[in-house]
Amino acid sequence: MTLPAPFASLRLPVIAAPMFIVSTPELVIAQVRSGVVGSFPALNARPASQLDDWLYEIEAGTVGCRAPFAVNLIVHKSNNRLEEDLLILEKHKVPLVITSLGAIPEVNAAVHSWGGAVFHDVISDRFARKAVEKGADGLIAVAAGAGGHAGPQSPFALMQEIRAWFDGPLALSGAIACGRSILAAQAMGADFAYIGTPFIATNEANAAPNYKQAIVDGEAADIVYSSLFTGVHGNYLRASITAAGLDPDRLPEGDKNQMDFGSGGNTAAKAWKDIWGSGQGIGAIRSVEPVEARIAAFEEQYRAARNELWARTGMD
């Protein structure tokens, strides 16, 4: 399997995950200029007309960069902007579109018509097969421990089932917050590590200072897995749930039929403004720093882990 040309010269095999509210042009540009794929959800651009401006800004800020950028489309039926946003992405010929919460052949065909690629995020082998059948070029395996919306399966189980039949581009998401974990993702068969939470604690992220500090101070035990806030299970910071006046240990189940990506959530405390998404890997993040510094640290850790593995196993 050969990866599409834009991915061949990345500094690290990393796709930065699109994060609601947090990911804006400033963060995306910093990620791309640092040598990894940067991304943002189209719904972060509000009103919808702002999406066009954001894409012009990102294109101008990444001229000459070796890494591409991506835009995330929520294809759930409650997203009444999907058609409008897709037309804007077509106008800019966005190189990579990440689709979530549904796989629609017509969306994939539209992206292919301008030469773009579609990666679809999945939480099970069944959903992976459906996504490829409907025209997805690549997959993002969202395993247990991932920030925001996340699946329940171990990355080992999820990766081995998908790689048993799929030889296309594959990214792995789930508590990846250091260079050693990027290498581990590759060892499990991934082409890319899909990383979100570590980029919240960066200077360029559009996150409140106390949100960033909570990432720095937090550990895996501070993460709560709940479907209450959007109707889909996801991982959130315990402190933000408590601050919203809720008991993180006694949260009711959310109603999937009430998912509404036009309003931002199912409760008075809105995901992602009040209830903060976070992956279980936050124990590795101990400071707020520029994106470039974070990626440089990932690269150093990645190379050290690879050398250590070679030395330990006697591999060339």
Side-chain angles (χ1 to χ4, degrees), residues 145-219:
H149 293 146
Q153 293 184 359
S154 159
F156 291 98
L158 188 54
M159 288 296 297
Q160 71 184 9
E161 290 185 0
I162 293 174
R163 269 300 183 222
W165 60 271
F166 182 66
D167 65 354
L170 178 57
L172 175 62
S173 172
I176 300 174
C178 67
R180 183 183 295 273
S181 296
I182 296 171
L183 183 65
Q186 288 185 298
M188 281 191 280
D191 298 296
F192 311 100
Y194 194 68
I195 301 176
T197 301
F199 292 116
I200 298 171
T202 60
N203 297 352
E204 296 89 347
N206 183 39
N210 50 344
Y211 186 3
K212 296 182 183 185
Q213 192 59 44
I215 298 292
V216 171
D217 295 339
E219 298 176 345

Side-chain angles (χ1 to χ4, degrees), residues 86-146:
L86 188 59
L87 288 173
I88 296 174
L89 268 56
E90 180 181 13
K91 173 183 175 181
H92 290 266
K93 294 182 169 51
V94 171
L96 175 61
V97 175
I98 298 169
T99 53
S100 305
L101 296 174
I104 300 179
E106 291 78 10
V107 171
N108 297 334
V111 177
H112 294 156
S113 73
W114 72 72
V118 178
F119 284 17
H120 188 70
D121 60 24
V122 299
I123 62 170
S124 70
D125 183 64
R126 180 170 68 91
F127 287 137
R129 291 176 183 271
K130 285 185 176 181
V132 172
E133 288 171 3
K134 293 181 178 181
D137 304 289
L139 298 170
I140 300 165
V142 185

Side-chain angles (χ1 to χ4, degrees), residues 1-25:
M1 183 270 300
T2 301
L3 294 175
F7 302 101
S9 58
L10 297 179
R11 179 177 180 180
L12 282 172
V14 168
I15 297 175
M19 296 177 285
F20 282 111
I21 298 179
V22 173
S23 299
T24 59

